[in-house]
Structures are given as structure tokens and as C-alpha cells.
Amino acid sequence: MSTDALEARVAALEARLRAAEDHLEIQNLLMTYGPLVDSATAEPAGKLWVDGGGYNFTLPDGGSKRLSAPDEVAGMYMWPGHIDLVNTGCAHLTATPKITVDGDDADAVGYSFVVLKEGDRWFLWRAAVNHWTLRRTGDGWRIVERFNRALDGSPESHDVMRKVVAA
């Protein structure tokens, strides 16, 4: 094998390894979210985002709200309603998303679920679809924006689901 061919092969392997490592790091970042918020570990949860990043989500009344990271996002995990969930017993589950990496930017599209304890049973309390935009930083991958919509049959939730084609 020629030196040029060997160098090309090594470069291709390095690119594939970098892509696999990026996907794994992004997946691990997103999977860290649930245990942090379910244990009311607010400050580290807020630091999953870049400074000034945001979390845009559906409110119980059907409206939406955007919180800025890290302080407003972290503060949400100390809201009385969230603390009630934590004290009742809950699990914020992030389903494995479809991840697309483009250099130092990435998109991830997938579902999330909240399981809540009620007496002796567990039930699915909330289901949503998410579009995360992410950026590679000096501290690793971080969330830039999380756009979360309840799976309520709305055109907005369907639009988020369709982002899986672009991601």
C-alpha cells in the first residue's frame, strides 16, 4: 500500500472515529438531563446549556415559554411544581435521538417522556418531541437550544417531528 493510500485510509478512520465520539458524547449529554432534574440537581442541569442558550417548552395551559441558560433553566428545576414531581417520584426519560453533526454544530431530534409515581403505580405523565441544537465548546458538547413540544396532535408538534428528516 502506498504512503498516500495509507494516509488517506488513516484520515478516513480518524473522521469516522471523531463522528462516533461526537454522537456518543451528545447522547451522553442528553441522557444526563433526566437524572439531574429528577434529583433536583439544578445548577449542573442548567450548565448542560451554553450561556444564553434556551429551553422552549409547552406550558400546561397550551402556551409556551422560553427560559435562558444557565440561570433561568436551573431555576425551573426549583419551581414548586417541579419539586412536587421530584418528591412524588418521577423519571424524565430521553429517548435515543437522531443526531446529525456538522463540524462544531449538531442537531438532535427525538422524544422525551416523564413517568410519574402515583401510589403504587407508575404511569406516563407527559410525552414530547424535542429538537436540540448543540455546539462543541471547550467543555465539550453543550445544548444551544432545546425546543420541546407536547405530543398533543398540534401542527407545531408535528413540525418538530418532521425535523428528523433534516437532522
Side-chain angles (χ1 to χ4, degrees):
M1 179 178 291
S2 73
T3 302
D4 288 343
L6 182 59
E7 287 176 4
R9 187 172 178 192
V10 169
L13 287 170
E14 286 175 340
R16 288 177 60 198
L17 178 59
R18 174 76 179 254
E21 288 175 335
D22 286 341
H23 278 73
L24 183 58
E25 185 178 343
I26 290 167
Q27 187 172 332
N28 284 338
L29 172 74
L30 299 179
M31 298 304 162
T32 300
Y33 175 81
L36 288 176
V37 303
D38 293 334
S39 62
T41 310
E43 186 177 338
K47 289 184 178 179
L48 297 176
W49 274 258
V50 298
D51 283 349
Y55 181 14
N56 187 312
F57 56 94
T58 306
L59 294 167
D61 68 4
S64 62
K65 184 170 187 73
R66 182 187 185 275
L67 301 175
S68 292
D71 296 336
E72 288 181 346
V73 171
M76 175 179 64
Y77 305 121
M78 299 312 292
W79 289 354
H82 182 78
I83 295 300
D84 287 346
L85 291 176
V86 169
N87 291 335
T88 298
C90 67
H92 286 73
L93 305 172
T94 302
T96 305
K98 180 180 180 206
I99 299 169
T100 303
V101 177
D102 183 14
D104 290 337
D105 297 304
D107 288 283
V109 178
Y111 295 115
S112 62
F113 308 95
V114 178
V115 177
L116 188 61
K117 186 173 189 283
E118 182 179 77
D120 291 334
R121 71 181 187 106
W122 296 88
F123 67 97
L124 181 61
W125 181 68
R126 186 175 194 277
V129 61
N130 302 268
H131 175 218
W132 290 271
T133 55
L134 303 109
R135 181 177 308 131
R136 185 191 324 269
T137 72
D139 295 322
W141 285 96
R142 292 292 179 265
I143 302 164
V144 175
E145 288 288 328
R146 179 182 181 191
F147 192 84
N148 170 290
R149 287 299 177 263
L151 294 176
D152 58 7
S154 68
E156 195 172 36
S157 69
H158 293 156
D159 289 344
V160 177
M161 288 181 219
R162 290 183 190 103
K163 291 181 183 282
V164 75
V165 175

